Amino acid sequence: ALASDSPVNSTLITGQSAASLAKFVLTNKDSVAAKITKVELNRIGVSADATLANVYLFDGTTRLTDAVSVSQGKITFNNPNGIITIPAGNSVIVTVASDIATNTEGQIVGVTLTGVTSNVEVKSTLPIQGGTQTIAKATLANAVVAKVSLGTATDPQEDVNVWQATFQINERDVQMSKLALKQLNSIESKDIQNFRLFIDAEQVAQVDSLDSNNVVTFTFDKTVKSGSRTFKV
């Protein structure tokens, strides 16, 4: 079903990241856990495929998927290991979010849920259409990520610098609430733990371990001053 707080008739900003397009409630009324392995969407509105630069699925603040692109109006997420698992008798709200391409002001965009593949029978009547939103242009504060450096091979030890980047904060101070990083290399997830995020040498968040998607998500509430800022994990 469409979530009650799914966006409709609101405004997106050209060039913004992770804009919320729609929220869908998935409810498992079966007696076993439901593993969702495929989600299919259609782009709607007066817009182009390229307008949705990178499309993601989220469960709250947790990103469930890597980015996918739009092809001939269709958006497809596939993961045979499961995009998300819903325990018996439970519901989740899955948010469809997208980076909005630059120079797209004036376009109208939204998404429709057209297909769900699961190990249990899907009984919903599809499609389920989300609302549409208009894209506008505005001069907003922004953060440009540059000079990223990654960790190198090391013997087991504490306080290893695994990721660092310079954030250039432009226009004005920004309020930041989340930073998520994905482990892509060959180390086992159990072998790295106790992640700490520092901004200009101040620790602002700590997470014990990677999640099931090998992602570490830091949530915090921090006013980051304009200028060049060092982020380190």
Side-chain angles (χ1 to χ4, degrees), residues 14-15 100-105 107 135 137:
T14 178
I100 306 300
T102 58
N103 302 316
T104 54
E105 57 270 21
Q107 296 187 31
I135 303 173
K137 184 176 183 179

Side-chain angles (χ1 to χ4, degrees), residues 68-90:
V68 302
S69 56
V70 186
S71 178
Q72 298 181 333
K74 298 186 181 301
I75 309 161
T76 303
F77 298 92
N78 270 305
N79 186 343
N81 295 321
I83 296 170
I84 189 170
T85 298
I86 308 171
N90 282 258

Side-chain angles (χ1 to χ4, degrees), residues 151-157 160-162 182-193 195 210-215:
T152 57
T154 182
D155 291 329
Q157 57 184 287
V160 177
N161 186 1
V162 294
K182 184 169 185 176
Q183 161 63 25
L184 296 174
N185 296 320
S186 59
I187 193 170
E188 294 186 27
S189 59
K190 66 181 177 61
D191 291 332
I192 47 178
Q193 57 189 350
F195 296 89
L210 298 168
D211 65 17
S212 59
N213 294 315
N214 279 355
V215 174

Side-chain angles (χ1 to χ4, degrees), residues 26-34 86-91 120-121 123:
L26 306 182
T27 301
N28 178 16
K29 296 184 178 181
D30 213 300
S31 59
V32 298
I86 308 171
N90 282 258
S91 297
V120 299
E121 182 183 358
K123 299 178 181 179

Side-chain angles (χ1 to χ4, degrees), residues 3 25 32 37 92 100 134 177 221:
V25 183
V32 298
T37 55
V92 297
I100 306 300
T134 301
S177 59
D221 188 11

Side-chain angles (χ1 to χ4, degrees), residues 2 12 24 69 189 195 204:
L2 193 66
L12 305 177
F24 298 100
S69 56
S189 59
F195 296 89
V204 298

Side-chain angles (χ1 to χ4, degrees), residues 116-127:
V116 176
T117 301
S118 172
N119 61 308
V120 299
E121 182 183 358
V122 178
K123 299 178 181 179
S124 295
T125 301
L126 298 174

